[in-house]
Amino acid sequence: MTAVEPESLRFCFEACVKDTPMDGARLDIVEVPVIGRCSRCAEEFRMDGLLSPCPACGGSSIVRLTGTELKVVSITAA
Ligand SMILES: [Zn+2]
């Protein structure tokens, strides 16, 4: 849940490598589920969107624990 959409990242990647020696390179995207914790009742749950309310108490003060990562894990030459 960064501002990066996996599909647009993939599209840009393919556009960038086209007609270069990297043409045909493959982009593997691992999406990390977003886990949030309710600051009212401490319930931890998987968020469907940025503003998902707490499923236990309906609270809207949610701290995101994961899901904002954006890392390049590896680059492998074919
Ligand atoms: Zn709650």
Side-chain angles (χ1 to χ4, degrees), residues 38 40-43 54 56-59:
C38 176
R40 198 195 307 184
C41 72
E43 173 83 359
C54 172
C57 74

mmCIF file of all heavy atoms in Angstrom, residues 38 40-43 54 56-59, ligand 1:
data_model
loop_
_atom_site.group_PDB
_atom_site.id
_atom_site.type_symbol
_atom_site.label_atom_id
_atom_site.label_comp_id
_atom_site.label_asym_id
_atom_site.label_seq_id
_atom_site.Cartn_x
_atom_site.Cartn_y
_atom_site.Cartn_z
ATOM 1 N N CYS A 38 -5.857 -1.452 15.419
ATOM 2 C CA CYS A 38 -6.778 -0.451 15.916
ATOM 3 C C CYS A 38 -6.190 0.192 17.165
ATOM 4 O O CYS A 38 -5.761 -0.511 18.088
ATOM 5 C CB CYS A 38 -8.114 -1.121 16.236
ATOM 6 S SG CYS A 38 -9.304 0.006 16.957
ATOM 7 N N ARG A 40 -7.864 1.867 19.247
ATOM 8 C CA ARG A 40 -8.856 1.879 20.317
ATOM 9 C C ARG A 40 -8.899 0.545 21.066
ATOM 10 O O ARG A 40 -8.861 0.500 22.281
ATOM 11 C CB ARG A 40 -10.241 2.191 19.743
ATOM 12 C CG ARG A 40 -11.200 2.636 20.843
ATOM 13 C CD ARG A 40 -12.665 2.619 20.427
ATOM 14 N NE ARG A 40 -12.938 3.357 19.206
ATOM 15 C CZ ARG A 40 -14.176 3.519 18.720
ATOM 16 N NH1 ARG A 40 -15.219 3.032 19.358
ATOM 17 N NH2 ARG A 40 -14.367 4.149 17.584
ATOM 18 N N CYS A 41 -8.963 -0.591 20.275
ATOM 19 C CA CYS A 41 -9.120 -1.884 20.948
ATOM 20 C C CYS A 41 -7.942 -2.828 20.690
ATOM 21 O O CYS A 41 -7.945 -3.956 21.136
ATOM 22 C CB CYS A 41 -10.426 -2.548 20.514
ATOM 23 S SG CYS A 41 -10.383 -3.163 18.821
ATOM 24 N N ALA A 42 -6.936 -2.363 19.942
ATOM 25 C CA ALA A 42 -5.717 -3.128 19.684
ATOM 26 C C ALA A 42 -5.937 -4.346 18.795
ATOM 27 O O ALA A 42 -5.061 -5.198 18.664
ATOM 28 C CB ALA A 42 -5.012 -3.544 20.980
ATOM 29 N N GLU A 43 -7.100 -4.445 18.167
ATOM 30 C CA GLU A 43 -7.347 -5.512 17.206
ATOM 31 C C GLU A 43 -6.396 -5.351 16.017
ATOM 32 O O GLU A 43 -6.195 -4.248 15.523
ATOM 33 C CB GLU A 43 -8.814 -5.428 16.719
ATOM 34 C CG GLU A 43 -9.179 -6.367 15.596
ATOM 35 C CD GLU A 43 -9.525 -7.769 16.091
ATOM 36 O OE1 GLU A 43 -9.464 -8.006 17.306
ATOM 37 O OE2 GLU A 43 -9.851 -8.609 15.241
ATOM 38 N N CYS A 54 -11.875 -0.569 11.868
ATOM 39 C CA CYS A 54 -11.625 -1.768 12.673
ATOM 40 C C CYS A 54 -12.847 -2.690 12.603
ATOM 41 O O CYS A 54 -13.968 -2.248 12.852
ATOM 42 C CB CYS A 54 -11.357 -1.343 14.105
ATOM 43 S SG CYS A 54 -11.256 -2.729 15.251
ATOM 44 N N ALA A 56 -13.555 -5.042 14.605
ATOM 45 C CA ALA A 56 -14.003 -5.412 15.956
ATOM 46 C C ALA A 56 -14.836 -4.311 16.609
ATOM 47 O O ALA A 56 -15.894 -4.582 17.169
ATOM 48 C CB ALA A 56 -12.802 -5.763 16.828
ATOM 49 N N CYS A 57 -14.371 -3.071 16.509
ATOM 50 C CA CYS A 57 -15.076 -2.000 17.217
ATOM 51 C C CYS A 57 -15.535 -0.877 16.295
ATOM 52 O O CYS A 57 -16.206 0.047 16.729
ATOM 53 C CB CYS A 57 -14.197 -1.431 18.334
ATOM 54 S SG CYS A 57 -12.854 -0.380 17.742
ATOM 55 N N GLY A 58 -15.166 -0.960 15.016
ATOM 56 C CA GLY A 58 -15.590 0.078 14.083
ATOM 57 C C GLY A 58 -14.754 1.343 14.168
ATOM 58 O O GLY A 58 -15.040 2.318 13.491
ATOM 59 N N GLY A 59 -13.734 1.305 14.982
ATOM 60 C CA GLY A 59 -12.880 2.477 15.134
ATOM 61 C C GLY A 59 -12.148 2.814 13.841
ATOM 62 O O GLY A 59 -11.869 1.932 13.031
HETATM 63 ZN ZN ZN B 1 -11.009 -1.631 17.248
#
